[in-house]
Amino acid sequence: QVQLVESGGGLVQAGDSLRLSCAASGRIFSSYGMGWFRQAPGKEREFVAAIRWSGGSTSYGDSVKGRFTISRDNAKNTVYLQMNSLKPEDTAVYYCAAALLAIATMKVEYNYWGQGTQVTVSS
């Protein structure tokens, strides 16, 4: 089992930055591919970013490429999502997830999920 707890969400203005953190506990963190997803009201949960278990490669959703950066610190059992140039359409609940794969970009590939943290971007 892996427990995931997100933090760092909040209310910001368009153009601002935020850094989300996801602290993991339980089984060996470095064995999991990690990802971030988001879900806005009335919409499907959307892939945001993923990082390989070793941190050596990353993948991003088209809507956040060039603005968001995923990273991980296996010594701290933590994965981060740096969000720059935020837009109102980035408003959503952001979820951290862990996959028993090196890297994964689809919801069905993830085995564990956090409770989510709200990000609201005002115009």
Side-chain angles (χ1 to χ4, degrees), residues 63-120:
S63 61
V64 306
K65 280 180 183 175
R67 299 188 298 123
F68 291 12
T69 303
I70 188 171
S71 62
R72 66 190 295 165
D73 186 336
N74 287 346
K76 295 183 178 179
N77 286 0
T78 302
V79 62
Y80 304 98
L81 185 68
Q82 178 66 43
M83 305 185 295
N84 297 331
S85 302
L86 282 161
K87 304 175 182 180
E89 50 264 45
D90 294 318
T91 295
V93 177
Y94 283 72
Y95 296 91
C96 172
L100 288 167
L101 295 169
I103 188 168
T105 61
M106 299 174 63
K107 286 182 294 185
V108 294
E109 296 177 306
Y110 283 85
N111 305 91
Y112 304 100
W113 294 83
Q115 294 299 306
T117 185
Q118 177 71 46
V119 172
T120 304

